[in-house]
Amino acid sequence: MYASVWGCALDGLSAQLVKVEVDVGRGLPAFEVVGLPNRTVKESRDRIRSAFRNTGFQFPPTRVTVNLAPADFPKTSSTLDLPIAVAILLATDQINWTDLGDCLFWGELSLDGQIQSCRGIINAALLAGKEGMSLIYPKSDRPAVESVSGLSAQGFADLSELVSVFNQGKPKWRISKGLRKVGVFQIPDPWQQLKISGGLLAKRFLTVAAAGRHNLALVGPPGVGKTMLVQALKELLPPLRQAEILEVARIYSAVGLEVKAVLKGEPPFRAPHHTVTLTGLLGGGLPPKPGEMTLAHKGLLFLDELPEFSRKALAVLREPLESKVIRLSRGNKCYYFPSDFQLACAFNPCPCGFHRFQPEKCRCTYREINAYLRPVIGPLADRIHLRLAVARPLWEEQASSRREAFPVSIEAARAEVENRDQARLESRLVQEGRHFLRLLFKEEQLSARAYYQLLSVASTISALEGSELISGEHLGEAWQYRWQAAEYLEGAVEDAALS
Amino acid sequence: MPPSPEAISLALLMEVPGVGPLSFRRLLTHFGSAGKVWAASRQEWCQAGATPAAWEAKEAFDYTAAAGKLRAELEETGVSLISWKDPLFPPNLLHLPAVAPGFLYYKGDLRPLQEKLTVAVVGTRRATQEGLNLAARFGLELVQAGVAVISGLARGIDGAAHRGALKAGGRGYTAAVLGGGLARIYPPEHGKLAREILRSGGALISEYRPSHPPLAPQFKARNRIIAGIAHGVLVVEAPKKSGALLTAGYGLEAGKEVFALPGSLANPNWTGSNNLLKAGAKLVTELDDILSEFQHLPFEVPSLADAFFSASERKILAAVAEKPCSLEDLPALVGLSWGEAAYTVSNLQVKKYISVNSEGRILPGPLWSRVNLGLQKGPTSL
């Protein structure tokens, strides 16, 4: 006998509807799954058989054929367990209510019949919402499912509960209300929390980076607190906005990361180790899984020890920094992974770390330093708006820690920055600012890209100062956050000293 | 300009096995010209103070073939060769005691060395940032004052001095004396710098034929030429054992002025410079300290343009003059708001009165000498 229900499987970041067809026919006992299942899906036979036995259902002692349609994309998800099991129950008349055409089943079965959670719940919920279907899911995933507003769904703990509810007729669907208003999770004073006192320049720098979402680089000898500063930046970032939360949660869910924090609005923070592979950074596999650049979408991607990353890894960073999206071509399909991240990187000026800062300690040769820095200067450094040299341990500068905060909060400044038309920032310049820019053009041969970056950083500073207009002071401060990475190459430093 | 036969004979004489710089000098003083040296009999040769073995080597030397080869090499590499009798030969070198070279290979323009006051700026190859900044600053200030800057194109201070001089944008003159052949620039990463020196109208000088490899002992030997060409030697940064001290020593021997910049006692990188000061070198903190020593020489030194500063600029310049400080200390130190301080620093930095180093410290910039003038002349006192 034949029955079919709907399940879904992950294809890239989105879940695809999969029609699960079951035919229970005559023949020797067998269980065949067709339609590009991978090993995980094939193994569902054993889970389903045990689950049936342990919950008092009968597994048909005949030939069972399962087809997963459409048959042309690989299914890798163990969450097809539940739809297969339900289809078998339907085909063998063990469920009375048969009006399951608008139900989407999602869940992995354990041997004792429990319905278990698995990666991809948000993606499944989004699919169900889009298709207007009702989602049947593991009870433990309720918080995640409830975040998708207007979705009718019902969670079940195990197979027998599900069958008993369905046997009584149409289940009562819960309509989810969507995300609750994001609470304030920010630490009121991250500086205090992280025990960073002093370091006014670094704090201003990070505040500007957080408000303007500018890419940033920190350079300095080992042990001055570069990594700690980026940790502080993470705390400074304003929460995700409602619209961004599901966008990020769906990515997290697709790779099986905990979505709890994201649903509360915490922006992603990813810090891959420098041995990360290209696939780890870009995403890959079949069907492709997102990589670190996508996992950091709407959040912060922190690359510590930037020059230690492979040359290829640094090269692939460049394009997403501009286009904010990663395109992966696989077989006859192209996958687009969003990757609108803020790049933070930290590195030493040479392999040993003391070059230029404590030259008497540095034992690196010219060649070593150049080979070390060459991959990170040039096109990559060009896309980094904010660059700061951290020379001394931060606690040294107690004297100036008085004025640390800008008058406007970071969150308000971020809203203001996003409100401003980036293409028309020049109209906000005051006279004195124009004079300063003219001076820069004359003396520094500012490139067009550098010009717009400078203007954009100055605009962020003005927003933080609560000013509509961009003054010379804002530009002057922005200019201080732009050391040239090339300075650390042999010979270039004198040029820098003269500029 | 093709090399004179005299220059060729001199250059080839140095290549005869057994003829070193000393016997070369003896032979030249004895015979007066290279042609006569080559034609000398064994007896005359020995009377001049050279060994008979060297005479035999000279006799066995295939002069015509070697001369042809040298001419071809010069033509191919675009290098010129002059003897000490040539009017272009740097005049100061003629008065070098004992081991002055009798000929020079060069590229570029040597004439300014006849006309200009020349100061050698030398120092260690493993320099601190501070030293590099100072070398660049004095390099620029010297050429802006019309002085020719000469150095050794080495890593560290030498390179910084050349680069500083080039910053004057073609108005300054800088020359480099190399320790190897001019077709084999050492260190290789200064190839671009060497080309820039030539493009700016400067010169590259060497006593070795273009294809000659850069060998370690030659670098010490070329220091005597640097000291010889210059009127004074400025040692920017030198540890206890440094080639720069050798240059200063050659300078002293030849009666040149020796200057040194003082450095921290705690920093071993400046021990040599400080020792030099202790031994009587002139301490330099600004350009005038150098220029004032050459008042008696008939060179023209242009006066520096006036500079005027606003009140907040004055405050910051005064603070920087006292001691280098970082941007974050500055607002509290001078009583300006953060934004005002950042703006003023950026302005002064872009105008080159101050510089911000890669550690974020604010230091006197390339045009610092004008700051002093501007502060003196300004309407308000500090």
Side-chain angles (χ1 to χ4, degrees):
Chain A
M1 274 179 290
Y2 169 89
S4 75
V5 296
W6 291 102
C8 67
L10 274 176
D11 185 23
L13 288 182
S14 51
Q16 298 280 349
L17 274 182
V18 173
K19 189 177 187 188
V20 179
E21 298 178 302
V22 168
D23 180 49
V24 181
R26 274 178 292 182
L28 286 173
F31 190 94
E32 285 295 332
V33 185
V34 296
L36 280 189
N38 77 345
R39 213 181 149 85
T40 317
V41 180
K42 279 191 170 165
E43 282 171 351
S44 66
R45 173 183 62 176
D46 299 303
R47 288 191 294 273
I48 293 171
R49 189 179 283 145
S50 296
F52 273 29
R53 194 168 50 238
N54 291 328
T55 44
F57 296 109
Q58 202 211 346
F59 194 83
T62 52
R63 184 178 180 83
V64 177
T65 309
V66 179
N67 179 35
L68 308 172
D72 68 344
F73 84 93
K75 287 96 185 162
T76 57
S77 212
S78 60
T79 55
L80 286 167
D81 283 7
L82 188 62
I84 295 174
V86 170
I88 294 174
L89 290 174
L90 270 176
T92 54
D93 294 327
Q94 299 185 71
I95 295 183
N96 299 337
W97 191 59
T98 53
D99 186 15
L100 297 174
D102 62 347
C103 293
L104 179 65
F105 291 89
W106 192 92
E108 180 184 317
L109 284 179
S110 73
L111 298 189
D112 62 352
Q114 304 264 350
I115 304 174
Q116 287 182 325
S117 171
C118 195
R119 70 185 174 92
I121 178 63
I122 302 260
N123 314 62
L126 286 170
L127 175 70
K130 194 178 97 189
E131 300 284 341
M133 300 173 100
S134 305
L135 183 70
I136 289 97
Y137 64 93
K139 210 168 199 168
S140 58
D141 277 334
R142 178 169 292 172
V145 172
E146 302 247 301
S147 64
V148 179
S149 80
L151 175 69
S152 70
Q154 186 65 49
F156 294 99
D158 61 29
L159 199 55
S160 50
E161 184 192 349
L162 183 145
V163 173
S164 70
V165 168
F166 273 70
N167 276 342
Q168 288 157 19
K170 195 177 176 184
K172 268 191 215 151
W173 301 116
R174 280 176 67 101
I175 308 294
S176 58
K177 296 188 184 69
L179 288 165
R180 262 166 295 161
K181 200 86 193 129
V182 174
V184 178
F185 68 91
Q186 267 185 302
I187 307 168
D189 186 355
W191 308 124
Q192 184 102 44
Q193 178 79 13
L194 288 158
K195 301 205 170 24
I196 301 179
S197 65
L200 171 63
L201 188 63
K203 288 179 186 176
R204 294 273 304 197
F205 178 82
L206 293 181
T207 313
V208 174
R213 219 158 171 265
H214 301 291
N215 297 325
L216 67 142
L218 295 164
V219 68
V224 289
K226 302 186 290 293
T227 309
M228 183 176 71
L229 285 173
V230 177
Q231 298 284 350
L233 173 63
K234 177 188 156 201
E235 307 296 340
L236 290 178
L237 293 178
L240 293 173
R241 275 173 312 166
Q242 299 286 98
E244 295 168 339
I245 288 180
L246 280 180
E247 220 177 302
V248 175
R250 142 183 119 109
I251 298 169
Y252 266 50
S253 178
V255 292
L257 284 173
E258 181 56 66
V259 292
K260 219 161 118 189
V262 173
L263 291 177
K264 280 191 199 154
E266 203 175 301
F269 175 75
R270 304 293 300 177
H273 189 252
H274 59 72
T275 53
V276 69
T277 59
L278 268 192
T279 311
L281 213 50
L282 268 177
L286 198 72
K289 274 191 188 179
E292 293 291 347
M293 284 197 280
T294 301
L295 289 171
H297 182 57
K298 297 291 171 198
L300 191 62
L301 179 68
F302 175 37
L303 303 183
D304 207 353
E305 309 299 350
L306 189 69
E308 305 278 2
F309 282 74
S310 79
R311 217 161 249 254
K312 281 187 177 166
L314 293 173
V316 301
L317 263 180
R318 262 152 48 187
E319 203 206 315
L321 276 175
E322 296 279 324
S323 62
K324 315 276 185 212
V325 69
I326 294 167
R327 225 184 77 135
L328 285 179
S329 296
R330 289 289 181 278
N332 53 1
K333 207 170 162 186
C334 196
Y335 295 86
Y336 289 91
F337 288 165
S339 59
D340 178 12
F341 57 86
Q342 179 182 11
L343 178 68
C345 43
F347 56 97
N348 296 331
C350 71
C352 81
F354 294 107
H355 178 55
R356 296 285 188 245
F357 289 89
Q358 284 157 288
E360 68 279 5
K361 275 196 199 170
C362 179
R363 283 288 165 267
C364 301
T365 65
Y366 161 80
R367 263 169 215 286
E368 282 169 342
I369 295 169
N370 264 25
Y372 186 73
L373 291 180
R374 186 62 67 192
V376 305
I377 64 167
L380 182 58
D382 246 21
R383 288 168 171 80
I384 295 176
H385 303 193
L386 289 173
R387 307 185 282 246
L388 186 72
V390 190
R392 289 165 292 173
L394 292 161
W395 55 82
E396 264 184 22
E397 331 222 350
Q398 298 285 3
S400 54
S401 57
R402 278 178 294 115
R403 204 191 139 194
E404 282 163 4
F406 286 92
V408 176
S409 84
I410 292 176
E411 207 176 334
R414 167 79 69 92
E416 166 71 16
V417 166
E418 285 174 357
N419 215 11
R420 291 185 181 177
D421 183 356
Q422 292 294 313
R424 303 199 51 203
L425 288 179
E426 277 140 327
S427 60
R428 292 174 185 271
L429 279 171
V430 302
Q431 192 63 23
E432 173 201 29
R434 283 178 207 283
H435 281 315
F436 182 59
L437 279 175
R438 203 168 303 148
L439 183 70
L440 284 180
F441 265 118
K442 190 171 140 242
E443 299 285 336
E444 302 288 334
Q445 287 87 42
L446 218 55
S447 76
R449 178 183 267 148
Y451 172 79
Y452 284 109
Q453 282 181 357
L454 187 68
L455 209 53
S456 142
V457 172
S459 158
T460 304
I461 295 172
S462 72
L464 277 165
E465 295 278 8
S467 154
E468 287 277 314
L469 298 172
I470 301 173
S471 72
E473 295 188 359
H474 304 141
L475 281 164
E477 185 173 350
W479 182 249
Q480 290 301 319
Y481 301 143
R482 293 188 57 87
W483 58 261
Q484 301 298 323
E487 267 178 43
Y488 296 96
L489 296 184
E490 184 67 25
V493 67
E494 307 85 13
D495 295 348
L498 294 172
S499 62
Chain B
M1 194 181 70
S4 65
E6 172 72 7
I8 293 277
S9 324
L10 278 170
L12 289 179
L13 186 58
M14 265 307 272
E15 289 176 16
V16 172
V19 177
L22 274 176
S23 46
F24 176 85
R25 186 78 189 172
R26 278 195 213 118
L27 288 168
L28 208 57
T29 356
H30 187 85
F31 293 104
S33 84
K36 284 185 190 156
V37 177
W38 279 100
S41 69
R42 187 189 182 111
Q43 195 187 0
E44 288 170 321
W45 183 277
C46 291
Q47 272 170 4
T51 60
W55 183 82
E56 268 149 33
K58 178 206 81 167
E59 289 297 299
F61 197 84
D62 185 354
Y63 184 88
T64 333
K69 218 170 132 197
L70 181 58
R71 278 181 213 275
E73 189 177 322
L74 291 176
E75 193 150 324
E76 190 189 330
T77 52
V79 172
S80 313
L81 174 64
I82 47 169
S83 78
W84 61 284
K85 289 181 174 167
D86 200 299
L88 261 183
F89 197 79
N92 283 351
L93 268 186
L94 295 175
H95 311 302
L96 203 62
V99 283
F103 59 95
L104 285 178
Y105 296 95
Y106 74 97
K107 261 182 170 181
D109 189 2
L110 288 186
R111 269 170 307 165
L113 290 177
Q114 317 266 345
E115 301 153 5
K116 286 188 178 221
L117 177 64
T118 308
V119 172
V121 181
V122 293
T124 177
R125 280 169 294 165
R126 280 193 173 277
T128 59
Q129 162 119 43
E130 203 184 340
L132 294 172
N133 288 353
L134 285 170
R137 177 185 143 193
F138 277 94
L140 176 59
E141 287 187 358
L142 281 167
V143 296
Q144 279 177 337
V147 179
V149 168
I150 177 169
S151 192
L153 200 75
R155 294 187 178 116
I157 298 297
D158 285 17
H162 287 305
R163 285 198 183 85
L166 290 176
K167 282 276 158 176
R171 289 182 300 259
Y173 175 85
T174 180
V177 183
L178 275 74
L182 295 183
R184 303 183 60 167
I185 302 289
Y186 184 89
E189 67 265 25
H190 280 177
K192 190 174 158 222
L193 178 59
R195 286 194 294 280
E196 276 168 17
I197 290 177
L198 290 179
R199 205 176 309 134
S200 76
L204 302 177
I205 300 168
S206 169
E207 54 174 325
Y208 307 100
R209 58 192 291 169
S211 61
H212 197 83
L215 303 174
Q218 293 163 199
F219 286 86
K220 287 186 179 169
R222 67 93 197 265
N223 287 350
R224 81 185 196 284
I225 301 183
I226 295 180
I229 291 179
H231 294 96
V233 179
L234 172 64
V235 178
V236 173
E237 179 181 2
K240 207 166 178 183
K241 279 186 175 176
S242 168
L245 297 182
L246 212 60
T247 313
Y250 284 126
L252 275 181
E253 221 174 280
K256 308 294 168 87
E257 302 289 342
V258 174
F259 306 93
L261 298 181
S264 162
L265 295 188
N267 192 340
N269 245 11
W270 294 82
T271 312
S273 322
N274 288 335
N275 286 346
L276 210 53
L277 290 171
K278 195 159 63 176
K282 172 145 191 198
L283 193 149
V284 171
T285 57
E286 59 186 5
L287 183 64
D288 276 344
D289 296 336
I290 300 175
L291 298 183
S292 61
E293 288 299 313
F294 298 111
Q295 295 300 331
H296 60 285
L297 295 175
F299 295 108
E300 219 175 283
V301 178
S303 73
L304 297 168
D306 298 349
F308 291 98
F309 300 105
S310 71
S312 53
E313 282 177 334
R314 291 170 159 278
K315 282 184 193 166
I316 284 179
L317 289 171
V320 173
E322 205 154 298
K323 77 176 179 38
C325 50
S326 76
L327 183 62
E328 50 201 326
D329 302 329
L330 205 57
L333 209 61
V334 297
L336 290 174
S337 80
W338 172 271
E340 223 177 321
Y343 176 59
T344 317
V345 165
S346 291
N347 253 311
L348 287 171
Q349 186 189 351
V350 172
K351 290 177 187 159
K352 297 189 174 50
Y353 294 119
I354 58 177
S355 66
V356 180
N357 73 7
S358 53
E359 292 175 39
R361 293 214 161 265
I362 302 169
L363 309 166
L367 299 184
W368 184 254
S369 50
R370 297 194 191 182
V371 169
N372 286 335
L373 289 173
L375 288 183
Q376 283 156 18
K377 286 187 187 164
T380 48
S381 66
L382 283 160

PDB file of all heavy atoms in Angstrom, chain A residues 114-135:
ATOM      1  N   GLN A 114      11.587   8.354  20.842  1.00  0.00           N
ATOM      2  CA  GLN A 114      11.629   9.805  21.105  1.00  0.00           C
ATOM      3  C   GLN A 114      11.874  10.566  19.799  1.00  0.00           C
ATOM      4  O   GLN A 114      12.596  10.084  18.928  1.00  0.00           O
ATOM      5  CB  GLN A 114      12.789  10.129  22.054  1.00  0.00           C
ATOM      6  CG  GLN A 114      12.785   9.395  23.348  1.00  0.00           C
ATOM      7  CD  GLN A 114      12.160  10.200  24.464  1.00  0.00           C
ATOM      8  OE1 GLN A 114      11.900  11.383  24.296  1.00  0.00           O
ATOM      9  NE2 GLN A 114      11.886   9.545  25.577  1.00  0.00           N
ATOM     10  N   ILE A 115      11.269  11.738  19.712  1.00  0.00           N
ATOM     11  CA  ILE A 115      11.552  12.579  18.542  1.00  0.00           C
ATOM     12  C   ILE A 115      12.615  13.584  18.946  1.00  0.00           C
ATOM     13  O   ILE A 115      12.429  14.333  19.906  1.00  0.00           O
ATOM     14  CB  ILE A 115      10.290  13.301  18.051  1.00  0.00           C
ATOM     15  CG1 ILE A 115       9.209  12.266  17.753  1.00  0.00           C
ATOM     16  CG2 ILE A 115      10.598  14.125  16.814  1.00  0.00           C
ATOM     17  CD1 ILE A 115       7.882  12.863  17.393  1.00  0.00           C
ATOM     18  N   GLN A 116      13.724  13.576  18.212  1.00  0.00           N
ATOM     19  CA  GLN A 116      14.870  14.352  18.661  1.00  0.00           C
ATOM     20  C   GLN A 116      15.186  15.506  17.730  1.00  0.00           C
ATOM     21  O   GLN A 116      14.876  15.465  16.541  1.00  0.00           O
ATOM     22  CB  GLN A 116      16.092  13.443  18.768  1.00  0.00           C
ATOM     23  CG  GLN A 116      15.961  12.536  19.960  1.00  0.00           C
ATOM     24  CD  GLN A 116      17.162  11.663  20.115  1.00  0.00           C
ATOM     25  OE1 GLN A 116      17.753  11.252  19.120  1.00  0.00           O
ATOM     26  NE2 GLN A 116      17.509  11.370  21.354  1.00  0.00           N
ATOM     27  N   SER A 117      15.841  16.445  18.328  1.00  0.00           N
ATOM     28  CA  SER A 117      16.201  17.655  17.591  1.00  0.00           C
ATOM     29  C   SER A 117      17.435  17.399  16.727  1.00  0.00           C
ATOM     30  O   SER A 117      18.228  16.511  17.006  1.00  0.00           O
ATOM     31  CB  SER A 117      16.477  18.751  18.602  1.00  0.00           C
ATOM     32  OG  SER A 117      17.013  19.841  17.933  1.00  0.00           O
ATOM     33  N   CYS A 118      17.574  18.208  15.724  1.00  0.00           N
ATOM     34  CA  CYS A 118      18.722  18.058  14.827  1.00  0.00           C
ATOM     35  C   CYS A 118      18.967  19.398  14.155  1.00  0.00           C
ATOM     36  O   CYS A 118      18.109  20.279  14.212  1.00  0.00           O
ATOM     37  CB  CYS A 118      18.391  16.995  13.795  1.00  0.00           C
ATOM     38  SG  CYS A 118      19.792  16.381  12.908  1.00  0.00           S
ATOM     39  N   ARG A 119      20.128  19.569  13.506  1.00  0.00           N
ATOM     40  CA  ARG A 119      20.417  20.872  12.903  1.00  0.00           C
ATOM     41  C   ARG A 119      19.398  21.211  11.812  1.00  0.00           C
ATOM     42  O   ARG A 119      18.943  20.313  11.102  1.00  0.00           O
ATOM     43  CB  ARG A 119      21.840  20.900  12.350  1.00  0.00           C
ATOM     44  CG  ARG A 119      22.077  20.056  11.126  1.00  0.00           C
ATOM     45  CD  ARG A 119      23.545  20.076  10.737  1.00  0.00           C
ATOM     46  NE  ARG A 119      23.797  19.137   9.642  1.00  0.00           N
ATOM     47  CZ  ARG A 119      23.762  19.480   8.365  1.00  0.00           C
ATOM     48  NH1 ARG A 119      23.507  20.719   8.018  1.00  0.00           N
ATOM     49  NH2 ARG A 119      23.990  18.574   7.430  1.00  0.00           N
ATOM     50  N   GLY A 120      19.037  22.479  11.731  1.00  0.00           N
ATOM     51  CA  GLY A 120      18.168  22.921  10.644  1.00  0.00           C
ATOM     52  C   GLY A 120      16.751  23.270  11.046  1.00  0.00           C
ATOM     53  O   GLY A 120      15.917  23.511  10.180  1.00  0.00           O
ATOM     54  N   ILE A 121      16.462  23.332  12.351  1.00  0.00           N
ATOM     55  CA  ILE A 121      15.072  23.544  12.754  1.00  0.00           C
ATOM     56  C   ILE A 121      14.530  24.885  12.273  1.00  0.00           C
ATOM     57  O   ILE A 121      13.393  24.991  11.789  1.00  0.00           O
ATOM     58  CB  ILE A 121      14.895  23.383  14.291  1.00  0.00           C
ATOM     59  CG1 ILE A 121      13.461  23.649  14.726  1.00  0.00           C
ATOM     60  CG2 ILE A 121      15.825  24.292  15.063  1.00  0.00           C
ATOM     61  CD1 ILE A 121      12.460  22.695  14.164  1.00  0.00           C
ATOM     62  N   ILE A 122      15.355  25.938  12.373  1.00  0.00           N
ATOM     63  CA  ILE A 122      14.876  27.259  11.942  1.00  0.00           C
ATOM     64  C   ILE A 122      14.582  27.245  10.440  1.00  0.00           C
ATOM     65  O   ILE A 122      13.587  27.809   9.971  1.00  0.00           O
ATOM     66  CB  ILE A 122      15.934  28.344  12.262  1.00  0.00           C
ATOM     67  CG1 ILE A 122      16.240  28.346  13.747  1.00  0.00           C
ATOM     68  CG2 ILE A 122      15.488  29.697  11.758  1.00  0.00           C
ATOM     69  CD1 ILE A 122      15.563  29.385  14.549  1.00  0.00           C
ATOM     70  N   ASN A 123      15.468  26.582   9.697  1.00  0.00           N
ATOM     71  CA  ASN A 123      15.283  26.521   8.254  1.00  0.00           C
ATOM     72  C   ASN A 123      13.983  25.796   7.919  1.00  0.00           C
ATOM     73  O   ASN A 123      13.237  26.200   7.023  1.00  0.00           O
ATOM     74  CB  ASN A 123      16.467  25.806   7.606  1.00  0.00           C
ATOM     75  CG  ASN A 123      17.783  26.296   8.145  1.00  0.00           C
ATOM     76  OD1 ASN A 123      18.049  26.162   9.335  1.00  0.00           O
ATOM     77  ND2 ASN A 123      18.589  26.896   7.299  1.00  0.00           N
ATOM     78  N   ALA A 124      13.694  24.711   8.660  1.00  0.00           N
ATOM     79  CA  ALA A 124      12.462  23.966   8.430  1.00  0.00           C
ATOM     80  C   ALA A 124      11.255  24.825   8.780  1.00  0.00           C
ATOM     81  O   ALA A 124      10.257  24.857   8.047  1.00  0.00           O
ATOM     82  CB  ALA A 124      12.470  22.684   9.254  1.00  0.00           C
ATOM     83  N   ALA A 125      11.366  25.561   9.905  1.00  0.00           N
ATOM     84  CA  ALA A 125      10.248  26.401  10.331  1.00  0.00           C
ATOM     85  C   ALA A 125       9.992  27.505   9.304  1.00  0.00           C
ATOM     86  O   ALA A 125       8.843  27.821   8.982  1.00  0.00           O
ATOM     87  CB  ALA A 125      10.540  27.005  11.700  1.00  0.00           C
ATOM     88  N   LEU A 126      11.071  28.082   8.763  1.00  0.00           N
ATOM     89  CA  LEU A 126      10.912  29.133   7.755  1.00  0.00           C
ATOM     90  C   LEU A 126      10.241  28.572   6.505  1.00  0.00           C
ATOM     91  O   LEU A 126       9.398  29.215   5.883  1.00  0.00           O
ATOM     92  CB  LEU A 126      12.277  29.742   7.405  1.00  0.00           C
ATOM     93  CG  LEU A 126      12.867  30.669   8.455  1.00  0.00           C
ATOM     94  CD1 LEU A 126      14.308  31.017   8.107  1.00  0.00           C
ATOM     95  CD2 LEU A 126      12.043  31.945   8.560  1.00  0.00           C
ATOM     96  N   LEU A 127      10.637  27.340   6.150  1.00  0.00           N
ATOM     97  CA  LEU A 127      10.045  26.708   4.966  1.00  0.00           C
ATOM     98  C   LEU A 127       8.555  26.480   5.189  1.00  0.00           C
ATOM     99  O   LEU A 127       7.729  26.812   4.333  1.00  0.00           O
ATOM    100  CB  LEU A 127      10.763  25.382   4.682  1.00  0.00           C
ATOM    101  CG  LEU A 127      10.166  24.554   3.534  1.00  0.00           C
ATOM    102  CD1 LEU A 127      10.437  25.241   2.203  1.00  0.00           C
ATOM    103  CD2 LEU A 127      10.727  23.141   3.533  1.00  0.00           C
ATOM    104  N   ALA A 128       8.221  25.945   6.362  1.00  0.00           N
ATOM    105  CA  ALA A 128       6.818  25.679   6.657  1.00  0.00           C
ATOM    106  C   ALA A 128       6.020  26.970   6.625  1.00  0.00           C
ATOM    107  O   ALA A 128       4.908  27.020   6.080  1.00  0.00           O
ATOM    108  CB  ALA A 128       6.706  25.006   8.015  1.00  0.00           C
ATOM    109  N   GLY A 129       6.597  28.024   7.201  1.00  0.00           N
ATOM    110  CA  GLY A 129       5.919  29.309   7.199  1.00  0.00           C
ATOM    111  C   GLY A 129       5.696  29.808   5.787  1.00  0.00           C
ATOM    112  O   GLY A 129       4.617  30.296   5.433  1.00  0.00           O
ATOM    113  N   LYS A 130       6.702  29.662   4.946  1.00  0.00           N
ATOM    114  CA  LYS A 130       6.619  30.158   3.574  1.00  0.00           C
ATOM    115  C   LYS A 130       5.574  29.371   2.781  1.00  0.00           C
ATOM    116  O   LYS A 130       4.821  29.943   1.994  1.00  0.00           O
ATOM    117  CB  LYS A 130       8.000  30.013   2.919  1.00  0.00           C
ATOM    118  CG  LYS A 130       8.153  30.784   1.617  1.00  0.00           C
ATOM    119  CD  LYS A 130       9.561  30.638   1.055  1.00  0.00           C
ATOM    120  CE  LYS A 130       9.575  29.550   0.008  1.00  0.00           C
ATOM    121  NZ  LYS A 130      10.908  29.182  -0.446  1.00  0.00           N
ATOM    122  N   GLU A 131       5.540  28.061   3.007  1.00  0.00           N
ATOM    123  CA  GLU A 131       4.632  27.210   2.240  1.00  0.00           C
ATOM    124  C   GLU A 131       3.230  27.157   2.859  1.00  0.00           C
ATOM    125  O   GLU A 131       2.352  26.499   2.325  1.00  0.00           O
ATOM    126  CB  GLU A 131       5.204  25.780   2.173  1.00  0.00           C
ATOM    127  CG  GLU A 131       6.562  25.683   1.504  1.00  0.00           C
ATOM    128  CD  GLU A 131       6.460  25.802  -0.016  1.00  0.00           C
ATOM    129  OE1 GLU A 131       5.367  25.607  -0.559  1.00  0.00           O
ATOM    130  OE2 GLU A 131       7.489  26.109  -0.649  1.00  0.00           O
ATOM    131  N   GLY A 132       3.068  27.783   4.031  1.00  0.00           N
ATOM    132  CA  GLY A 132       1.767  27.743   4.700  1.00  0.00           C
ATOM    133  C   GLY A 132       1.438  26.371   5.257  1.00  0.00           C
ATOM    134  O   GLY A 132       0.269  25.974   5.324  1.00  0.00           O
ATOM    135  N   MET A 133       2.439  25.619   5.617  1.00  0.00           N
ATOM    136  CA  MET A 133       2.212  24.273   6.136  1.00  0.00           C
ATOM    137  C   MET A 133       2.319  24.294   7.657  1.00  0.00           C
ATOM    138  O   MET A 133       2.839  25.226   8.246  1.00  0.00           O
ATOM    139  CB  MET A 133       3.244  23.308   5.559  1.00  0.00           C
ATOM    140  CG  MET A 133       3.208  23.221   4.051  1.00  0.00           C
ATOM    141  SD  MET A 133       4.556  22.232   3.427  1.00  0.00           S
ATOM    142  CE  MET A 133       3.699  20.709   3.135  1.00  0.00           C
ATOM    143  N   SER A 134       1.829  23.230   8.288  1.00  0.00           N
ATOM    144  CA  SER A 134       1.951  23.101   9.730  1.00  0.00           C
ATOM    145  C   SER A 134       3.156  22.211  10.034  1.00  0.00           C
ATOM    146  O   SER A 134       3.323  21.159   9.414  1.00  0.00           O
ATOM    147  CB  SER A 134       0.698  22.457  10.313  1.00  0.00           C
ATOM    148  OG  SER A 134      -0.428  23.218   9.914  1.00  0.00           O
ATOM    149  N   LEU A 135       3.936  22.655  10.983  1.00  0.00           N
ATOM    150  CA  LEU A 135       5.186  21.945  11.263  1.00  0.00           C
ATOM    151  C   LEU A 135       5.007  21.007  12.451  1.00  0.00           C
ATOM    152  O   LEU A 135       4.491  21.418  13.493  1.00  0.00           O
ATOM    153  CB  LEU A 135       6.292  22.963  11.544  1.00  0.00           C
ATOM    154  CG  LEU A 135       7.691  22.391  11.797  1.00  0.00           C
ATOM    155  CD1 LEU A 135       8.261  21.812  10.515  1.00  0.00           C
ATOM    156  CD2 LEU A 135       8.618  23.463  12.347  1.00  0.00           C
TER     157      LEU A 135
END
